[in-house]
Amino acid sequence: LQLHHSCCYHCKAKVGSKQPWWEESVQVTVTVNRVPVSGVSLSAQPPGGQVALGDRLVLSCAVAAGTGPLSFSWHPGGGSPAPLGTGPRLELHHVGGNDSGHYQCWVSDGDSVAESVPLNVAVL
């Protein structure tokens, strides 16, 4: 179901065999509600968020529940409003010492925002 499926519904049936007529059911109202975003989690490649200087780091964001459309943004730990990137993945090519720190994924459904637990990235 999608939000636009909210409406009033009824059914019609042909009754009788010789001279059939149409019977109509009572109308029912169906309301489709959003499921709030929850269960936002992060994973890292390489696992654990420990990456060698100059290597590539890929952070992935997953959502356990929530109806869309969903938008993703990446933030340094501490909740800076300026995003580091958007989308369910953040790729850092050739990481440097400045890339060490905490990262969070924020997911919005347009009405609310849910945040992941910060993931500590260590550049070795």
Side-chain angles (χ1 to χ4, degrees), residues 104-122:
Q104 278 187 296
C105 177
W106 295 2
V107 182
S108 174
D109 62 5
D111 292 330
S112 62
V113 175
E115 302 175 12
S116 70
V117 172
L119 174 74
N120 187 40
V121 170

mmCIF file of all heavy atoms in Angstrom, residues 104-122:
data_model
loop_
_atom_site.group_PDB
_atom_site.id
_atom_site.type_symbol
_atom_site.label_atom_id
_atom_site.label_comp_id
_atom_site.label_asym_id
_atom_site.label_seq_id
_atom_site.Cartn_x
_atom_site.Cartn_y
_atom_site.Cartn_z
ATOM 1 N N GLN A 104 27.659 9.767 11.722
ATOM 2 C CA GLN A 104 26.269 9.389 11.933
ATOM 3 C C GLN A 104 25.495 9.492 10.633
ATOM 4 O O GLN A 104 25.801 10.328 9.786
ATOM 5 C CB GLN A 104 25.572 10.335 12.920
ATOM 6 C CG GLN A 104 25.804 10.043 14.363
ATOM 7 C CD GLN A 104 24.928 10.936 15.217
ATOM 8 O OE1 GLN A 104 25.091 12.151 15.200
ATOM 9 N NE2 GLN A 104 24.027 10.334 15.960
ATOM 10 N N CYS A 105 24.487 8.647 10.499
ATOM 11 C CA CYS A 105 23.553 8.722 9.386
ATOM 12 C C CYS A 105 22.221 9.220 9.938
ATOM 13 O O CYS A 105 21.746 8.736 10.964
ATOM 14 C CB CYS A 105 23.384 7.335 8.759
ATOM 15 S SG CYS A 105 22.175 7.304 7.426
ATOM 16 N N TRP A 106 21.648 10.230 9.278
ATOM 17 C CA TRP A 106 20.321 10.738 9.631
ATOM 18 C C TRP A 106 19.381 10.347 8.499
ATOM 19 O O TRP A 106 19.699 10.529 7.322
ATOM 20 C CB TRP A 106 20.325 12.247 9.769
ATOM 21 C CG TRP A 106 21.163 12.805 10.886
ATOM 22 C CD1 TRP A 106 21.947 12.128 11.763
ATOM 23 C CD2 TRP A 106 21.312 14.190 11.217
ATOM 24 N NE1 TRP A 106 22.584 12.996 12.618
ATOM 25 C CE2 TRP A 106 22.208 14.271 12.310
ATOM 26 C CE3 TRP A 106 20.781 15.366 10.703
ATOM 27 C CZ2 TRP A 106 22.563 15.471 12.894
ATOM 28 C CZ3 TRP A 106 21.140 16.561 11.285
ATOM 29 C CH2 TRP A 106 22.023 16.625 12.376
ATOM 30 N N VAL A 107 18.215 9.819 8.857
ATOM 31 C CA VAL A 107 17.222 9.409 7.872
ATOM 32 C C VAL A 107 15.927 10.165 8.139
ATOM 33 O O VAL A 107 15.454 10.213 9.268
ATOM 34 C CB VAL A 107 16.969 7.885 7.910
ATOM 35 C CG1 VAL A 107 15.970 7.485 6.834
ATOM 36 C CG2 VAL A 107 18.274 7.127 7.730
ATOM 37 N N SER A 108 15.376 10.748 7.086
ATOM 38 C CA SER A 108 14.132 11.506 7.202
ATOM 39 C C SER A 108 13.075 10.935 6.274
ATOM 40 O O SER A 108 13.374 10.527 5.150
ATOM 41 C CB SER A 108 14.379 12.979 6.860
ATOM 42 O OG SER A 108 13.153 13.683 6.831
ATOM 43 N N ASP A 109 11.829 10.926 6.753
ATOM 44 C CA ASP A 109 10.697 10.525 5.913
ATOM 45 C C ASP A 109 9.878 11.743 5.494
ATOM 46 O O ASP A 109 8.795 11.619 4.967
ATOM 47 C CB ASP A 109 9.808 9.503 6.625
ATOM 48 C CG ASP A 109 9.179 10.057 7.898
ATOM 49 O OD1 ASP A 109 9.344 11.257 8.209
ATOM 50 O OD2 ASP A 109 8.504 9.279 8.598
ATOM 51 N N GLY A 110 10.401 12.921 5.736
ATOM 52 C CA GLY A 110 9.698 14.161 5.421
ATOM 53 C C GLY A 110 8.963 14.728 6.613
ATOM 54 O O GLY A 110 8.696 15.923 6.671
ATOM 55 N N ASP A 111 8.618 13.869 7.591
ATOM 56 C CA ASP A 111 7.927 14.316 8.797
ATOM 57 C C ASP A 111 8.820 14.261 10.022
ATOM 58 O O ASP A 111 8.700 15.067 10.926
ATOM 59 C CB ASP A 111 6.685 13.444 9.063
ATOM 60 C CG ASP A 111 5.604 13.648 8.023
ATOM 61 O OD1 ASP A 111 5.501 14.756 7.473
ATOM 62 O OD2 ASP A 111 4.864 12.679 7.757
ATOM 63 N N SER A 112 9.714 13.275 10.069
ATOM 64 C CA SER A 112 10.568 13.097 11.236
ATOM 65 C C SER A 112 11.956 12.651 10.791
ATOM 66 O O SER A 112 12.155 12.245 9.657
ATOM 67 C CB SER A 112 9.958 12.058 12.186
ATOM 68 O OG SER A 112 9.873 10.810 11.535
ATOM 69 N N VAL A 113 12.897 12.739 11.733
ATOM 70 C CA VAL A 113 14.283 12.343 11.475
ATOM 71 C C VAL A 113 14.709 11.350 12.551
ATOM 72 O O VAL A 113 14.425 11.551 13.734
ATOM 73 C CB VAL A 113 15.235 13.564 11.486
ATOM 74 C CG1 VAL A 113 16.682 13.131 11.335
ATOM 75 C CG2 VAL A 113 14.856 14.542 10.403
ATOM 76 N N ALA A 114 15.381 10.275 12.147
ATOM 77 C CA ALA A 114 15.970 9.315 13.087
ATOM 78 C C ALA A 114 17.464 9.258 12.813
ATOM 79 O O ALA A 114 17.892 9.337 11.665
ATOM 80 C CB ALA A 114 15.331 7.939 12.924
ATOM 81 N N GLU A 115 18.240 9.128 13.873
ATOM 82 C CA GLU A 115 19.697 9.125 13.767
ATOM 83 C C GLU A 115 20.261 7.765 14.173
ATOM 84 O O GLU A 115 19.728 7.111 15.061
ATOM 85 C CB GLU A 115 20.308 10.186 14.672
ATOM 86 C CG GLU A 115 19.843 11.587 14.397
ATOM 87 C CD GLU A 115 20.396 12.598 15.400
ATOM 88 O OE1 GLU A 115 21.311 12.242 16.177
ATOM 89 O OE2 GLU A 115 19.907 13.729 15.397
ATOM 90 N N SER A 116 21.358 7.396 13.543
ATOM 91 C CA SER A 116 22.071 6.189 13.954
ATOM 92 C C SER A 116 22.921 6.498 15.187
ATOM 93 O O SER A 116 23.177 7.654 15.510
ATOM 94 C CB SER A 116 22.993 5.702 12.829
ATOM 95 O OG SER A 116 24.075 6.618 12.677
ATOM 96 N N VAL A 117 23.352 5.441 15.836
ATOM 97 C CA VAL A 117 24.371 5.584 16.880
ATOM 98 C C VAL A 117 25.662 5.974 16.167
ATOM 99 O O VAL A 117 25.955 5.459 15.089
ATOM 100 C CB VAL A 117 24.527 4.246 17.644
ATOM 101 C CG1 VAL A 117 25.696 4.286 18.594
ATOM 102 C CG2 VAL A 117 23.244 3.889 18.360
ATOM 103 N N PRO A 118 26.438 6.898 16.730
ATOM 104 C CA PRO A 118 27.692 7.274 16.061
ATOM 105 C C PRO A 118 28.645 6.087 15.912
ATOM 106 O O PRO A 118 28.742 5.238 16.789
ATOM 107 C CB PRO A 118 28.291 8.334 16.992
ATOM 108 C CG PRO A 118 27.151 8.846 17.789
ATOM 109 C CD PRO A 118 26.209 7.689 17.935
ATOM 110 N N LEU A 119 29.323 6.053 14.772
ATOM 111 C CA LEU A 119 30.329 5.019 14.492
ATOM 112 C C LEU A 119 31.693 5.708 14.516
ATOM 113 O O LEU A 119 31.880 6.725 13.833
ATOM 114 C CB LEU A 119 30.094 4.377 13.136
ATOM 115 C CG LEU A 119 31.152 3.391 12.679
ATOM 116 C CD1 LEU A 119 31.017 2.083 13.453
ATOM 117 C CD2 LEU A 119 31.031 3.125 11.189
ATOM 118 N N ASN A 120 32.616 5.159 15.289
ATOM 119 C CA ASN A 120 33.955 5.738 15.372
ATOM 120 C C ASN A 120 34.814 5.186 14.249
ATOM 121 O O ASN A 120 34.980 3.966 14.112
ATOM 122 C CB ASN A 120 34.592 5.441 16.727
ATOM 123 C CG ASN A 120 35.916 6.173 16.880
ATOM 124 O OD1 ASN A 120 36.054 7.325 16.480
ATOM 125 N ND2 ASN A 120 36.899 5.504 17.433
ATOM 126 N N VAL A 121 35.366 6.079 13.446
ATOM 127 C CA VAL A 121 36.280 5.709 12.367
ATOM 128 C C VAL A 121 37.698 6.062 12.819
ATOM 129 O O VAL A 121 37.956 7.189 13.246
ATOM 130 C CB VAL A 121 35.929 6.452 11.060
ATOM 131 C CG1 VAL A 121 37.012 6.263 10.013
ATOM 132 C CG2 VAL A 121 34.583 5.983 10.538
ATOM 133 N N ALA A 122 38.583 5.073 12.734
ATOM 134 C CA ALA A 122 39.978 5.279 13.104
ATOM 135 C C ALA A 122 40.854 5.091 11.878
ATOM 136 O O ALA A 122 40.833 4.028 11.258
ATOM 137 C CB ALA A 122 40.381 4.309 14.210
#
